[in-house]
Every structure is written in structure tokens, then in C-alpha cells.
Amino acid sequence: MTATAPTPPKPITSAKDPRFAPTLYAHVGQPESWTLAYYRRNGGYEPVKRAFAMGPDAVIEEVKKSGLRGRGGAGFATGLKWSFMPLKDGKPHYIICNADESEPGSFKDRYLLSEDPHQLIEGMIIAGYAMRASVGYIYIRGEYVHAAERIWAAIHEARAAGLLGQNILGSGFDFQLFVHRGAGAYICGEETALMNSLEGLRANPRLKPPFPAAAGLYGLPTTINNVETFCAATQILRYGADWHAGMGTEKSKGMKLFQISGPVARPGVYELPLGTTFRELIYDWAGGPLEEMKAIIPGGSSCPMLPWTDAILDTPMDYEAVAAAGSMLGTGGVTLIPKADCIVNATWNLVRFYGHESCGKCTPCREGISSWMTRMYQKLVTGRGQPGDVQLILDMSDNIGGRSFCALADACLGPVLSSIKHFREEYDALATTQQPLYPARKRWRDA
């Protein structure tokens, strides 16, 4: 008789599943969690020993098998990205951690940096070993002063303990790690602008190709990942690829740090499996809304906003399901917009941000976003709207979208076009009667 293959366990898609236990944030908030002594007492730097025993190629295969996708917003397969680095080119290789967390609505990485920095350091050692990189940089947002101090202190501890530098743990692998503080420019979240800034140049994006894996920092092979991505790699090497692949959905595997802001009872960061619904995050973990809601931004300010409906609330928070609903998962920064707020005014707030943060390199962004789009929204919200203004915004968007040098202009158009699509009546009211459907009011947080 032929034996029947065992049924694979059902993937974990809810934090209510008793099999789920937080790992990335397991030690955040614990006394002295940022110290080397605490980290090693809790199994720290054991995953890197496993990596050294496996060999660099096997590490990349393990990350591929885990299904880990980049947690910085794009969701590209991490193991595949690591495999793009040339192996026997005889050149120095670099890895960079993008810790320039500047997307409005995103605030997950700051706690990993300040509360569990050794988890990040270990993940970068593992990545450096896998990609034959001998030097790594952590490019951290300039405003994260406390986090930068913590990460520098952790690097000094690791060096003193022989966990960074020459011949790490007797493996024959050399790896140095440095911290570089940014100067508050959102554009440095774009990987090529980040590399320009790191080289001491103006933080403008570069033309691609060549891509960083071929010609990155100082023209040498470079791979850039997000803080959460490197930390997830540490946990994959700790528990194994099958453990990670057992969480989430078929194409979106593992755990994710979801952030929620706006009028909810418990705003903050929640580590949940991919595939958890918006309803579970908002009601079961964040305690529910404090007032009636109008819209939701699912993944950070650059993601198209969605209307507050049962269908959206029951959408799984994974890359494919959110895309099918008409938006993006992005960084997982969920923002709620109350029904009593004017959607045009809320969108103007985002447009002003992107207009201010444009580097000015290309005409569609410099003239289209920083100038025309910002002034059109200011005209509407200050009671000077005219019939035809909304159509003009749409026409301008057609001329800007897909034509800018980097993705910043398209990021601005995400909330612009989606807010017009779902809440056109609010725009028309300001363009025809010069009166908002939802006047300015005292905000809930000021009550």
C-alpha cells in the first residue's frame, strides 16, 4: 500500500493562532535589550554561527526558500536580490541598510534600531557573508539621534567581542560596519539617492541601469535592504526557512511589522503574520476607531487610499490582496482618516510633503509636484476653487505619472488620484461652491 503524504500544516495568517509568537519585536521594551549581554543571553549571535557552518551559497538558498520579501515597501524577493551580487569578480562588495525611515505613517524601524540593535547587526553580518561583502553601512535618518547612538554603541560592543572586524568567530570572514546619519531628506529613501548621499554628493537619484548589484556605492557591487528585512534574515537563520514560510500566504510569507496611526484606541506597531486582515489589526489589536471613519491608507503615504468599507476591512494584509483592492502594502503603515475630515485637505497635507521633499532633478516632479500640484490644492482648500480645477489636476497627473526620474512623483499621485476616484464629490464641492463638505473642526486628539 502506498503511504499517503502528510497534509502540510495550515499557514499561520493570524496572530490569534496559538502557533504564532512575535520574534522581531520579542525583546523591544525589555530592560537593557539593546546591550550585547542581554542579546547573547537570549540566543544572540547563534544564527550567524549557523550561517558560517552552512556556507554563503547555502545561506542565500535558505533565504530564498523562506519566501522573505523586502520589507521596505517594494516587496521584492530578498534571496533573489542577494543572488544578483557577482560572486567571483574580484571586487570589494558593499551592503547597506536603509534606515532612513521617512515615509509618513511608517515608524517600525526606529524601535528595532534603538531597542534591539544587535538583531540588525547580526542580520547584516549574515547578509555580508552570503554576498561576500566585507563592509556594511547603516544609513540612518538624521532625526533618529537616540537610535543612532544606540546602534553605534552596539557596534562598538560587537567589535570588542570579536563579532565585527577580522576573522569573525574564527570563520575567516572579515566584516566592518559603520553608521552614517542622513540630513533629513526623504529622497534618500530611494536607494541610489542614498548612495549619492553616502558618497558625499547631492542626494539625487541615479539612472538605472546599471543597478546597484552591478555598480552601486563607489561604482562597486552593492545590495541595499531595509532594517526589518535584515532582522528577518536573522530570525530565518535562527529558526529555519520552513518556519518563516509557514506564516503568511502562498506568495506573501512570514511576519510583518504593521504600524497604525490615526484616531484608534491603541496606535502603534504590531508584529503580525502577513495575511492578517485590516479588521483584525484595527479592532482586535489597535482597539478600534474612536470615531466614524472615511478612508484608510494601507501602507504609508505613497499608497493609494481606499474607502472604509467591509470589503476593505476584510482584505488580507499581503502584497497580492492589497494590490487587488487597488493599493499597495508598502511599509505596512496603516493610517485612518475620519469621516468628519475633509479628504481634499488631508490630501493637500501629503501633496505639500512631497512637494517639499522633491530633489528638483527632473521637470515633472520639480514643476509638476512642487509647483503646480501644490498650488492647485492650496487654491481648492482656501476657497478659491473654480469649475474645471479637478479635471486640471487629473490632466496634470497624466503628464506627471510615469515620467519622473524616480518614483517620488508617482508616490505623490497615489493619494491624489485615489482620493479623487473615491471622494470626487468633496473635490467638486470645493471647485464649484468653494465650501468644503466637511469643514475644519477640532481634532479628536485635541479634545
Side-chain angles (χ1 to χ4, degrees), residues 108-129:
K108 59 185 174 64
D109 295 338
R110 64 188 300 179
Y111 300 108
L112 292 171
L113 291 161
S114 61
E115 297 289 318
D116 200 356
H118 284 283
Q119 183 180 196
L120 170 60
I121 292 170
E122 185 169 15
M124 293 191 70
I125 296 171
I126 291 168
Y129 175 68

Side-chain angles (χ1 to χ4, degrees), residues 197-317:
S197 175
L198 194 54
E199 291 179 15
L201 305 174
R202 182 184 174 96
N204 285 344
R206 301 176 183 176
L207 183 66
K208 293 187 286 189
F211 293 96
L217 187 67
Y218 305 117
L220 296 168
T222 305
T223 292
I224 303 174
N225 281 123
N226 172 261
V227 174
E228 185 183 351
T229 309
F230 282 121
C231 290
T234 299
Q235 302 305 327
I236 289 167
L237 268 293
R238 182 191 302 277
Y239 297 110
D242 292 339
W243 161 82
H244 188 269
M247 293 180 286
T249 64
E250 181 181 356
K251 295 182 179 179
S252 299
K253 298 184 182 298
M255 61 288 185
K256 178 83 181 77
L257 296 175
F258 292 100
Q259 309 113 100
I260 182 165
S261 55
V264 291
R266 294 188 296 273
V269 185
Y270 296 90
E271 183 179 348
L272 306 171
L274 283 159
T276 301
T277 65
F278 287 105
R279 188 182 299 277
E280 183 177 337
L281 169 66
I282 294 166
Y283 285 91
D284 296 346
W285 295 99
L290 299 178
E291 57 182 290
E292 192 174 358
M293 291 292 116
K294 174 189 293 181
I296 179 171
I297 300 177
S301 64
S302 59
C303 299
M305 62 180 68
L306 299 169
W308 183 269
T309 65
D310 286 338
I312 296 301
L313 290 175
D314 292 328
T315 299
M317 293 188 295

